[in-house]
Amino acid sequence: MKIAIILGTRPEIIKMSPIIRECERRGLDHYILHTGQHYSFEMDSVFFEELNLPTARYNLDVGSSTHGRQTATMLAGIEDILMRDVPDVVLVQGDTNTVLAGALAASKLHIRLGHVEAGLRSFDRMMPEETNRVIADHISDYLFAPTKTSRQYLLDEGIHDERIFVTGNTIVDAVYQNLEIAKEKVDVLERLGLSEGGYFLATAHRAENVDDPVKLGGILNGFRLVYEEFGMPVVFPAHPRTVKMISEFGFDVPSGTRMIEPLGYPEFLQLEGDARCVLTDSGGLQEEACILGVRCVTLRDNTERPETVDVGANVLVGCDSERIIEGVRKMVECRDDWGDLYGDGTASERIINIIG
Ligand code: UD1
Ligand code: UDP
């Protein structure tokens, strides 16, 4: 059996890494097809280096563009490769344009398609990711749902039960596999002059947030209020999209907010695990913070990770600065253990067992 693993962005590299490792461990015939949606060193190569991943057999280098052009370029490139280097199964992960293109290409060629992290729904069609994930789910042969909630969403949409497998999320595997390595190899707190529990960690990159001056302004103002009230820095490893928009809108980064370059995975995990709490609009961070026992304040009004809110690990506050500071007041106090909400770290093993 030959497996093609299609990926293109930071979270896909991280969440596919345990599956790639599992293929290597079992000596399975597999290859990586990178679309090049992310290409800056700190959004791409750093993860291949640090996570010891093999170089992608193919890289389409599509880069950034409008949604249609980017997806179309990927679709044409992926189709060419899948016709030449024909796999038995294609795996895609998550909800990016790379996933949409990979899923369409495989489906049109009648190659069996597996969607890792299936069944997530924000029910917000303004998010490009919601369209991508809905389409990918409906054309997949194997839907690897992380939780029972995701499985139920899929059933509610008429997807057949026998195509759905609740496996947990491979992010748990990635966290477990890299946390120990992180402890041995990096000391990001010392490097940045921070103390355990003595800072907040923030990220923001959702298009509907950072491309809107009112929302981005609200987020930055929220960070300012957090620093003023708690006297602890807000460490902000900023996504390139966000850096670009801060500059385009002519915003100043408030004092107390330490905007830094994006970090590699071991350093980022360490920073996340020792933060007082996390402020973010990232999907992956809502899960990771919960796995690490750190509370999360989500800079959105909806989430496709409702399990985190249900257990009290996460609160939704949107982008209004007053709601952000209220959310932080509520979440700042203590760490907790929310158990195996997203699985026990064996999702990648289960996924390969199912397609094998
Ligand atoms: C994409 C995904 C999003 C995911 C995120 C992970 C889609 C529609 N969006 O959003 O779901 O959460 O990745 O981080 O697929 N840029 C660089 N270097 C890079 C990549 C991007 O400078 O390596 C800048 C460019 O200015 C680019 C902008 O970031 O125009 C946005 O990149 P893009 O890949 O279109 O979307 P993301 O916001 O990264
Ligand atoms: N991440 C990282 N360095 C950073 C910021 C994030 O390694 O500076 C990791 C983080 O640990 C998580 C993933 O990137 O696993 C989340 O990616 P992102 O927020 O870009 O995308 P999303 O999860 O929202 O799709």
Side-chain angles (χ1 to χ4, degrees):
M1 186 188 54
K2 192 198 289 187
I3 304 171
I5 295 166
I6 300 183
L7 46 74
T9 66
R10 169 168 73 184
E12 293 165 78
I13 303 168
I14 293 170
K15 287 177 167 176
M16 279 297 203
S17 68
I19 292 187
I20 298 166
R21 288 202 181 118
E22 190 59 23
C23 288
E24 286 180 327
R25 196 178 68 79
R26 298 190 193 193
L28 293 177
D29 189 6
H30 68 287
Y31 66 84
I32 301 171
L33 193 173
H34 194 323
T35 60
Q37 179 172 348
H38 282 178
Y39 45 84
S40 302
F41 175 79
E42 68 278 8
M43 299 299 287
D44 172 21
S45 307
V46 66
F47 301 105
F48 279 85
E49 281 179 16
E50 288 179 343
L51 304 183
N52 257 328
L53 299 174
T55 312
R57 185 177 297 174
Y58 305 99
N59 193 323
L60 300 173
D61 287 321
V62 297
S64 307
S65 190
T66 58
H67 285 273
R69 190 168 293 277
Q70 187 183 52
T71 309
T73 312
M74 291 178 195
L75 179 58
I78 295 170
E79 184 181 63
D80 278 349
I81 291 164
L82 295 182
M83 284 166 70
R84 268 190 283 131
D85 197 348
V86 186
D88 298 290
V89 179
V90 163
L91 291 180
V92 293
Q93 189 286 328
D95 51 24
T96 64
N97 288 346
T98 292
V99 170
L100 176 61
L104 280 175
S107 168
K108 297 275 179 192
L109 291 168
H110 306 295
I111 299 170
R112 279 186 293 153
L113 173 65
H115 186 202
V116 179
E117 202 178 75
L120 271 63
R121 295 290 182 270
S122 66
F123 302 101
D124 176 1
R125 287 287 173 102
M126 291 307 288
M127 293 180 74
E129 292 85 0
E130 184 77 354
T131 311
N132 294 345
R133 56 172 90 99
V134 168
I135 294 172
D137 282 340
H138 281 261
I139 59 178
S140 287
D141 301 288
Y142 305 98
L143 292 101
F144 301 115
T147 65
K148 287 184 185 154
T149 310
S150 316
R151 174 175 174 274
Q152 192 55 51
Y153 288 154
L154 294 169
L155 292 172
D156 292 348
E157 288 177 15
I159 293 177
H160 276 250
D161 202 9
E162 66 267 21
R163 284 158 60 197
I164 309 170
F165 305 89
V166 178
T167 56
N169 194 312
T170 58
I171 192 65
V172 183
D173 313 22
V175 168
Y176 289 176
Q177 289 172 13
N178 291 290
L179 204 55
E180 287 312 307
I181 303 173
K183 279 183 191 148
E184 281 164 27
K185 288 203 174 159
V186 293
D187 193 348
V188 69
L189 268 61
E190 178 163 325
R191 182 168 78 75
L192 297 177
L194 299 166
S195 61
E196 213 177 302
Y199 62 91
F200 296 93
L201 175 66
T203 77
H205 74 281
R206 295 254 83 80
E208 57 280 13
N209 282 352
V210 304
D211 292 3
D212 176 337
V214 175
K215 289 189 174 169
L216 182 56
I219 290 173
L220 292 174
N221 204 29
F223 294 172
R224 180 179 63 76
L225 296 181
V226 170
Y227 177 66
E228 284 174 6
E229 180 156 333
F230 294 96
M232 293 191 281
V234 177
V235 182
F236 182 33
H239 190 289
R241 174 181 213 120
T242 312
V243 175
K244 185 175 74 179
M245 296 319 291
I246 288 175
S247 149
E248 256 178 47
F249 295 140
F251 287 150
D252 289 324
V253 176
S255 64
T257 297
R258 280 182 64 181
M259 188 160 97
I260 58 174
E261 293 268 303
L263 297 169
Y265 196 49
E267 279 205 328
F268 191 83
L269 264 187
Q270 221 174 45
L271 201 61
E272 199 176 357
D274 286 336
R276 187 64 173 259
C277 78
V278 168
L279 293 85
T280 193
D281 63 9
S282 157
L285 259 78
Q286 294 173 63
E287 294 155 355
E288 259 172 11
C290 180
I291 296 161
L292 293 165
V294 177
R295 286 180 201 270
C296 184
V297 175
T298 293
L299 309 169
R300 292 173 48 188
D301 287 310
N302 56 50
T303 181
E304 54 294 306
R305 275 89 178 170
E307 304 86 353
T308 57
V309 178
D310 294 344
V311 297
N314 190 7
V315 64
L316 305 179
V317 299
C319 299
D320 175 75
S321 55
E322 287 301 328
R323 284 183 63 207
I324 295 173
I325 185 74
E326 268 170 39
V328 172
R329 281 186 200 123
K330 186 171 162 194
M331 300 307 265
V332 74
E333 270 323 318
C334 50
R335 303 175 56 91
D336 215 327
D337 180 352
W338 294 289
D340 287 351
L341 205 57
Y342 285 108
D344 57 4
T346 59
S348 43
E349 227 180 293
R350 288 165 199 251
I351 288 167
I352 297 295
N353 285 344
I354 292 161
I355 60 177

